Amino acid sequence: MNKITVKDGTEIYYKDWGSGQPLFFHHGWPLSADDWDAQMMFFLERGYRVIAHDRRGHGRSTQTVNGNDMDTYAADVAELAKALNLKNTVHIGHSTGGGEVTRYVAKHGKGRVAKAVLISAIPPQLLKSDKKSRRPSHGGVRPTS
């Protein structure tokens, strides 16, 4: 079973199949890498390298009490991308995975990311405004007016 151990000792499970330009799939809550298998097989047959991981607290990765936030999720992806020497990667995120992609690209993706695809994504807070005192419960974009 493919796993890496990140800085805080959490084990992150991942699938890494094929060769060619890497496509990295990020699952939604409370799913796992397995939920991307059909898409991974489709792109694998077309010459891509396909990667998916079980986010900490999901699937075969360590069940954690701490680190269940977008910054830690993105840092975990950064460690995995570095370990797999991923460059020119397309990151594809669904739901919470879209938030993970957004944070990863913004904080860690320089020189490694070709594109980001967000599918029904819940991105992390992108804009702060004093006009709105209530933060959206889903962590999405806050309106400016």
Side-chain angles (χ1 to χ4, degrees):
M1 192 165 14
N2 294 330
K3 287 188 176 184
I4 66 161
T5 302
V6 296
K7 290 177 186 172
D8 70 357
T10 300
E11 289 187 331
I12 304 295
Y13 168 83
Y14 66 93
K15 297 176 179 185
D16 182 7
W17 305 333
S19 60
Q21 183 179 16
L23 305 180
F24 194 128
F25 295 89
H26 303 253
H27 64 80
W29 186 275
L31 307 174
S32 71
D34 295 345
D35 292 284
W36 287 109
D37 281 356
Q39 291 81 7
M40 290 174 71
M41 292 304 295
F42 177 87
F43 287 106
L44 180 64
E45 291 170 359
R46 284 153 182 81
Y48 289 91
R49 178 181 179 187
V50 294
I51 299 108
H53 72 305
D54 289 350
R55 183 179 305 111
R56 64 172 54 226
H58 296 76
R60 291 148 291 210
S61 291
T62 304
Q63 303 301 306
T64 59
V65 174
N66 297 316
N68 293 301
D69 59 81
M70 289 297 173
D71 286 334
T72 306
Y73 296 160
D76 291 346
V77 170
E79 288 194 52
L80 180 55
K82 184 177 179 183
L84 297 177
N85 194 29
L86 298 180
K87 295 179 181 153
N88 194 35
T89 306
V90 178
H91 287 267
I92 303 155
H94 168 253
S95 188
T96 303
E100 180 178 88
V101 167
T102 303
R103 189 63 56 91
Y104 168 74
V105 169
K107 293 188 87 171
H108 306 281
K110 186 175 182 180
R112 293 191 176 272
V113 177
K115 296 178 184 178
V117 179
L118 306 178
I119 305 165
S120 298
I122 300 175
Q125 186 78 14
L126 298 177
L127 178 66
K128 291 183 180 180
S129 170
D130 292 334
K131 293 179 183 180
K132 299 289 180 189
S133 61
R134 214 177 104 198
R135 192 174 182 181
S137 61
H138 56 67
V141 177
R142 191 185 299 194
T144 58
S145 57

